[in-house]
Amino acid sequence: GENVEQHPSTLSVQEGDSAVIKCTYSDSASNYFPWYKQELGKRPQLIIDIRSNVGEKKDQRIAVTLNKTAKHFSLHITETQPEDSAVYFCAARALRAGGYQKVTFGTGTKLQVIP
Amino acid sequence: EAQVTQNPRYLITVTGKKLTVTCSQNMNHEYMSWYRQDPGLGLRQIYYSMNVEVTDKGDVPEGYKVSRKEKRNFPLILESPSPNQTSLYFCASSLSRPAGTDTQYFGPGTRLTVL
């Protein structure tokens, strides 16, 4: 089955610096890669996603890159702010026979932005 | 308001006492899923459903049951809970378009403690 590895597990950056979180996946059938942000005590919420036919997507301070050949994708946050502090999860969605979809999450990265 | 609801939000129970966690969505989504979240392990899929009467096992289905009799509801059943099922549980739903980029919307979570 699909295996999604996420690194690092914790990340501390100074406010204003950039943060990068990396994920690798194993299933070449994966075609959709969302990133979720989970604040303490809250539910995960989508912050950005990318499809397998796109190499990069940007939304203000957040960007995601995808390298299908190497089976890895990354989240980039620029000009970090204290409110970016949270746990971030990557995920990969793969198609199965009969149209079934399987979503596998990474183990999460706890980002701390130091003011 | 489009939302996914779960009940109860908090539950403390004892080993062996059957329980059901309800999940309901009002967005007419086909795809619904249950996850458990444990420290250091991220979100692991328990069961998912592609549509009414169509369910399949995720990565950690042992000890759980689900049903999908109506499109909006996807209850999680623990027939005989054990302490290793103490966890934070999330229900999620999305449209089901294999070629699309369908955001998963998460419920608020249910914190379950099994003594």
Side-chain angles (χ1 to χ4, degrees), chain A residues 57-76:
Chain A
K57 183 177 178 180
K58 190 172 181 181
D59 182 3
Q60 298 183 331
R61 297 187 295 108
I62 296 173
V64 57
T65 58
L66 171 65
N67 183 326
K68 278 183 61 179
T69 304
K71 293 197 184 82
H72 66 70
F73 56 114
S74 300
L75 177 71
H76 305 253

Side-chain angles (χ1 to χ4, degrees), chain A residues 31-32 36 38 42-46 49-51 89 93 95-96 99-108, chain B residues 4 31 35 37 40-43 45 48 50 54 59 90 96-104 106-108:
Chain A
N31 69 342
Y32 173 59
Y36 290 86
Q38 186 179 28
K42 302 267 183 81
R43 70 192 81 187
Q45 292 197 302
L46 181 79
D49 55 15
I50 192 167
R51 295 172 60 177
F89 291 97
R93 183 185 72 181
L95 299 180
R96 295 281 184 263
Y100 284 87
Q101 301 176 49
K102 178 73 173 67
V103 179
T104 303
F105 282 80
T107 51
Chain B
V4 179
Y31 185 91
Y35 297 91
Q37 183 174 19
L41 297 177
L43 290 151
Q45 193 175 53
Y48 64 95
M50 296 296 293
V54 182
D59 298 312
F90 286 101
S96 179
R97 297 174 296 187
T101 56
D102 299 309
T103 303
Q104 280 201 83
F106 283 83

